[in-house]
Amino acid sequence: MYKKTSPQLTIDDFILPFSGKLSADNRWVKLAGIIPWDELEKQYAFMFPSDRGNVAKPVRMALGSLLIQARCDYSDRETVQQITENPYLQYFIGLKEYQLTKPFTPVALVKFRKRFNAKRMAEINELILQAEKAQKKTQKDQDDDHDDRDANGSGGGGPAREGYAVVIEEPASTQNSESNQGTLILDATCTPADIKYPTDLGLLNEARENLDIMIDCLHEGIGKPTRRPRTHREKARKDYLTLSKQRSPRKHQIRKAVKKQLQYVKRNLGFVDQLLQKAKEQNVENVLRPRQVTLLGAIRELYAQQSAMYKNRTHRIQDRIVSLHQPHVRPIVRGKAKASVEFGAKVAISLDNGYSRIEKLSWDSYNEAETLRGAVERYKERHGHYPEAVLADRIYRNRENLAFCKQRGIRLSGPRLGRPLANGLLKKAEKRMERLDARQRNAVEGKFGEGKRKYGLACIMARLKETAECMISMQFLVMNLEHKLRVLFVQFWLRMMAGTFKPSFC
């Protein structure tokens, strides 16, 4: 059940104790003003078609609390605590007056993240960016009207300054092509999950320990009809520590230890199946908790994969499990200097006028060159024309993408195919263009650095697949909102310098 809140809260409607008043210059007040809450509420209400049950929290409270958490990198408990103590945060999530009680529990944030999946977050991001585009168009029309008044003699010195401001505000685009305008930057990165570095021996030992706990639960759940099965947990633990404490064990020692752990896991799985069969015969239900049932399925898959790799003497297998509690996480080979392999989701983004959009988010490794054609077509849907240039690294320069860009008159950054140019001047110009493209492409690298250093992209703390995707999408939405605030600040001072805006205190 959902109840719409109309009209949306403004800064003058918020009630503070002791007859106080919120400052309009606060960052949370400005951020609340640039988010189209009414449009978001129309889409959010469709998630609750029933008119029965408890009333769901408003979209401003649900999405606003997630934005606060992503912006400040808080935990669930810390987010609730900060909202309880800060009146500006309470205004941002839509409360009408300051209250001392908690607006919701930390558990509610998990439910909020489940409601905003990756697809819905992409729609929200696009809705906010389209609202910014419409606002820029309105501002441009107002500036044109001001230029017309200055041309008729109503002001002096305005047109030159205003012309300079328009050049700064508009996205950089060249006028060489009549149909293609603008620049699209593409790149991909990995958002590491919060897991321990996986090893075959460590994963098998963790599986064996969890199976021992399940055997205890099953044996007690069916009433201890016989003696508990002997799993030799102390001996298995000792075998694991014997190798794990060695600084640099040899390959044959690792293989021997893995074989022992495989045997322990196989035996424990057999005992679990026997106890589950006895529980079924005695009509005993819910002996294992839902999390243990999910974990048991991951352990079975892990044992099958490790057995196949042991028999085939290989370390590669399809859909390899690297975490029992997060079986959706996959190894992503990146070839970076810090770590050649990262474990998490691979995200391909596009950068357009400083705003980032997620083109593809997947937990399985993929070739990011596949996202170029879709990103270019979506660029045309937004702007009505293709970009003049697509800036990307060399992995995007395959034959299919080169033919696609050539057919549409798009310049794809990077060295040209074929023999090097014989003309020295043309060769110099090509090198200069490559350096210029590399400088402009640094913007997307800076976006990744901003997300991983300032926000939470460097370590995704969520365990569930859908909540992790929500957190990743939320980080890019927050970065777009922060960029929008900076753009509005620059536009404000440019208008002040041009004389087209007078503050209220004048």
Side-chain angles (χ1 to χ4, degrees):
M1 181 179 178
Y2 186 76
K3 184 177 180 181
K4 292 186 178 181
T5 56
S6 182
Q8 286 293 338
L9 183 69
T10 61
I11 185 175
D12 297 327
D13 300 330
F14 191 80
I15 302 175
L16 277 173
F18 309 110
S19 302
K21 187 177 181 181
L22 296 178
S23 173
D25 295 331
N26 184 269
R27 56 175 178 170
W28 296 108
V29 175
K30 293 180 179 179
L31 193 61
I34 64 178
I35 300 177
W37 299 110
D38 293 325
E39 297 295 331
L40 296 178
E41 191 171 34
K42 294 178 182 178
Q43 300 181 4
Y44 188 72
F46 284 104
M47 299 175 57
F48 308 93
S50 176
D51 56 351
R52 297 182 180 180
N54 295 331
V55 180
K57 300 295 184 183
V59 64
R60 183 163 178 172
M61 181 175 293
L63 183 61
S65 59
L66 294 178
L67 290 173
I68 293 171
Q69 183 183 34
R71 174 63 182 81
C72 302
D73 198 15
Y74 291 149
S75 63
D76 290 352
R77 294 181 183 274
E78 184 66 21
T79 301
V80 177
Q81 192 67 25
Q82 290 289 338
I83 292 175
T84 306
E85 298 171 355
N86 196 328
Y88 286 100
L89 298 183
Q90 292 189 11
Y91 164 76
F92 182 73
I93 65 173
L95 297 180
K96 295 183 178 180
E97 59 180 325
Y98 179 72
Q99 63 182 35
L100 299 176
T101 58
K102 297 179 180 179
F104 49 83
T105 61
V107 182
L109 287 170
V110 182
K111 299 180 180 179
F112 295 162
R113 285 192 289 267
K114 289 182 179 180
R115 294 173 187 172
F116 296 98
N117 54 23
K119 182 179 179 181
R120 189 167 288 110
M121 287 302 303
E123 295 175 354
I124 293 174
N125 186 28
E126 193 64 33
L127 184 63
I128 293 176
L129 296 185
Q130 290 299 329
E132 191 268 344
K133 184 178 179 181
Q135 183 180 4
K136 182 183 291 187
K137 184 178 179 181
T138 303
Q139 180 61 35
K140 185 178 179 181
D141 294 340
Q142 294 177 358
D143 294 341
D144 293 340
D145 295 340
H146 179 74
D147 290 342
D148 295 340
R149 290 195 299 269
D150 289 341
N152 294 330
S154 59
R161 287 189 174 183
E162 185 65 20
Y164 175 75
V166 170
V167 172
I168 296 298
E169 293 178 10
E170 287 296 316
S173 61
T174 57
Q175 303 297 328
N176 297 331
S177 176
E178 297 180 359
S179 57
N180 298 354
Q181 297 179 7
T183 302
L184 184 66
I185 309 176
L186 301 176
D187 204 354
T189 188
C190 179
T191 55
D194 183 33
I195 65 172
K196 182 176 68 173
Y197 189 86
T199 60
D200 295 340
L201 188 64
L203 289 171
L204 289 172
N205 177 71
E206 185 181 358
R208 178 194 57 79
E209 291 177 348
N210 283 281
L211 287 174
D212 278 329
I213 297 174
M214 294 179 191
I215 291 173
D216 294 338
C217 295
L218 289 169
H219 189 249
E220 293 179 2
I222 61 179
K224 300 181 180 180
T226 57
R227 193 175 176 182
R228 182 191 180 278
R230 296 183 62 183
T231 57
H232 302 283
R233 63 178 72 186
E234 295 181 359
K235 182 181 178 182
R237 176 68 177 174
K238 185 177 180 181
D239 291 339
Y240 166 71
L241 293 177
T242 300
L243 186 77
S244 63
K245 289 185 176 181
Q246 295 185 23
R247 179 170 296 180
S248 56
R250 298 184 180 275
K251 290 184 178 180
H252 71 276
Q253 293 176 330
I254 298 176
R255 181 172 174 81
K256 184 178 180 180
V258 168
K259 180 181 179 181
K260 288 184 178 181
Q261 295 298 323
L262 281 171
Q263 292 172 348
Y264 291 136
V265 172
K266 181 180 180 181
R267 180 170 55 189
N268 287 4
L269 282 173
F271 289 146
V272 168
D273 293 336
Q274 293 176 11
L275 293 174
L276 286 174
Q277 183 63 28
K278 289 182 180 179
K280 184 177 180 180
E281 294 174 356
Q282 298 178 9
N283 295 326
V284 180
E285 299 179 354
N286 301 327
V287 184
L288 295 177
R289 291 174 294 178
R291 286 187 179 182
Q292 289 179 322
V293 174
T294 305
L295 184 61
L296 181 59
I299 291 175
R300 294 184 190 276
E301 182 67 22
L302 173 69
Y303 173 74
Q305 292 181 357
Q306 293 293 333
S307 298
M309 289 190 294
Y310 179 82
K311 293 178 182 178
N312 299 327
R313 293 180 176 269
T314 181
H315 295 283
R316 295 177 179 270
I317 198 168
Q318 188 71 18
D319 297 332
R320 183 176 181 178
I321 293 179
V322 295
S323 175
L324 289 177
H325 296 282
Q326 301 183 47
H328 55 275
V329 176
R330 296 286 180 267
I332 307 296
V333 179
R334 298 291 296 161
K336 301 296 182 180
K338 182 179 179 181
S340 58
V341 180
E342 294 178 325
F343 306 93
K346 189 172 183 179
V347 185
I349 73 167
S350 63
L351 201 63
D352 179 16
N353 295 332
Y355 296 103
S356 56
R357 293 174 173 86
I358 295 180
E359 299 296 338
K360 186 174 182 179
L361 192 157
S362 176
W363 296 94
D364 296 321
S365 183
Y366 60 89
N367 189 348
E368 54 262 37
E370 303 171 357
T371 63
L372 183 140
R373 281 168 281 184
V376 170
E377 293 296 341
R378 283 185 285 272
Y379 181 94
K380 183 182 179 182
E381 292 178 3
R382 294 192 301 267
H383 299 279
H385 53 77
Y386 287 111
E388 181 187 1
V390 174
L391 308 184
D393 53 18
R394 294 193 177 187
I395 196 173
Y396 288 85
R397 292 180 57 83
N398 54 33
R399 294 185 180 275
E400 292 78 9
N401 290 342
L402 288 172
F404 175 84
C405 294
K406 183 178 181 181
Q407 184 180 3
R408 288 157 180 79
I410 303 172
R411 182 177 62 83
L412 184 57
S413 63
R416 60 187 294 274
L417 298 180
R419 296 179 179 179
L421 294 172
N423 192 328
L425 294 178
L426 293 179
K427 193 173 182 180
K428 259 186 195 179
E430 183 179 338
K431 290 291 184 182
R432 192 182 305 112
M433 181 64 70
E434 290 180 14
R435 288 194 296 269
L436 181 61
D437 291 343
R439 293 171 188 171
Q440 294 182 0
R441 205 181 70 82
N442 284 337
V444 70
E445 300 292 349
K447 188 66 67 173
F448 290 147
E450 179 186 359
K452 292 188 176 183
R453 289 179 178 271
K454 191 175 181 180
Y455 304 107
L457 284 181
C459 184
I460 304 301
M461 304 298 292
R463 281 195 172 188
L464 299 178
K465 180 180 179 180
E466 56 270 18
T467 55
E469 292 176 355
C470 172
M471 291 185 68
I472 295 171
S473 304
M474 188 67 64
Q475 300 295 346
F476 287 99
L477 176 61
V478 169
M479 286 190 286
N480 286 338
L481 291 174
E482 289 294 323
H483 179 76
K484 191 172 183 180
L485 284 177
R486 292 193 293 268
V487 170
L488 291 177
F489 177 78
V490 173
Q491 290 179 355
F492 168 78
W493 282 108
L494 288 175
R495 292 169 61 194
M496 288 283 292
M497 293 172 59
T500 60
F501 177 79
K502 293 184 178 181
S504 58
F505 54 82
C506 293

